[in-house]
């Protein structure tokens, strides 16, 4: 595993698959997209977009579906709101992260829910012939105080190893069947070679307890693999299966994120994220701690 900088093509584009129905959060998600549910005062998608921008990503490709255009609206300039607020002398800085540079947010549709691999493939024309990042917004990745976000850590590693990179983390063996799992090879620090990948294996067949945790840097060739990718786990076209075919063709590594991760795809994970982030916020942490202590007595 060489660690000298190889200056691969920079990562300028990121794909956010956000077409899911969010059935686990009904009735909250009947009208409001899951990605717009707030963790304290920022919608889930905003955390992922902020993480992308911190990593130097310029173009955001949202793979949406019916009823999910609110996510695209979120990154528009709300002219009436801003006009009214500034007339009243209100601070507009809270909206700063929601404003996209014209042309930097692109929405494509996944018309039929055929799986994550299919969702990514729907972005192929916008991604074009360059490496790109993928963010699954359900996986909320938070930097340690003074640290950097997950994608920034991955981009820094990518600049040294190139090829394909995924973020991984260890979970208890009982949980592996809910995730993509890697077959790990040689490891050095937070970098592990990926020898194999399997989507949602039964616990007894899982090659490790290192799961794919929702951040990817992939070479554009994955789009060609996805073109003909058949159905896999759960009857869906799986990104994991397409990535597995790239192993051996191109370098493939995993990065273990040095930070906090919350699985906001589940209600418990969402509550955990809300509590953890509120407790760490300088403007409310102390009050939340006092409330939690009172509730626990
Ligand atoms: C997806 C991926 C899986 C990954 C997981 C992370 O699964 O297919 O490989 O481990 O996200 O949350 P999903 O949660 O969409 O079933």
């Amino acid at each position: 595993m060489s660690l000298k900088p190889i200056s691969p093509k920079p990562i300028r584009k990121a794909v956010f698959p956000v077409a899911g129905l969010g059935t686990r959060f009904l009735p909250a998600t009947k009208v409001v997209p899951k990605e717009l549910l707030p963790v304290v005062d920022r919608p889930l998608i905003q955390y992922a977009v902020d993480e992308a921008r911190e990593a130097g990503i310029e173009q955001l490709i949202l793979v949406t579906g019916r009823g999910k255009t609110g996510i695209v609206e979120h990154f528009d300039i709300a002219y009436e709101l801003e006009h009214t607020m500034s007339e009243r002398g209100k601070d507009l800085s809270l909206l700063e992260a929601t404003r996209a540079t014209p042309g930097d947010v692109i929405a494509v549709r996944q018309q039929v829910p055929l799986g994550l691999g299919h969702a990514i493939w729907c972005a192929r024309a916008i991604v074009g012939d360059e490496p790109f990042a993928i963010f699954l917004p359900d996986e909320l990745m938070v930097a340690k105080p003074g640290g950097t976000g997950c994608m920034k850590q991955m981009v820094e590693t990518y600049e040294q190893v190139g090829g394909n990179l995924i973020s991984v983390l260890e979970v208890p063996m009982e949980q592996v069947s809910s995730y993509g799992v890697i077959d790990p090879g040689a490891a050095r620090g937070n970098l592990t070679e990926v020898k194999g990948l399997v989507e949602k294996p039964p616990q007894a067949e899982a090659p490790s307890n290192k799961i794919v945790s929702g951040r990817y840097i992939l070479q554009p060739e994955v789009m060609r693999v996805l073109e003909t990718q058949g159905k896999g786990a759960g009857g869906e076209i799986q990104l994991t299966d397409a990535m597995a075919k790239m192993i051996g063709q191109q370098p493939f590594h995993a990065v273990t994120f040095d930070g906090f991760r919350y699985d906001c795809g589940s209600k418990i994970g969402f509550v955990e994220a809300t509590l953890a982030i509120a407790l760490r916020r300088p403007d409310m942490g102390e009050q939340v701690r006092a409330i939690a202590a009172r509730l626990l007595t």
Side-chain angles (χ1 to χ4, degrees), residues 31 157 242:
V31 176
T157 306

Side-chain angles (χ1 to χ4, degrees), residues 116 136 139 178-180 199-200 212-214 216 238 240 261:
L116 177 60
L136 308 191
E139 294 281 352
S178 304
Y179 298 101
E199 181 68 13
K200 302 194 174 75
V212 181
S213 65
Y216 312 72
Q238 296 290 354
T240 302
R261 170 260 185 177

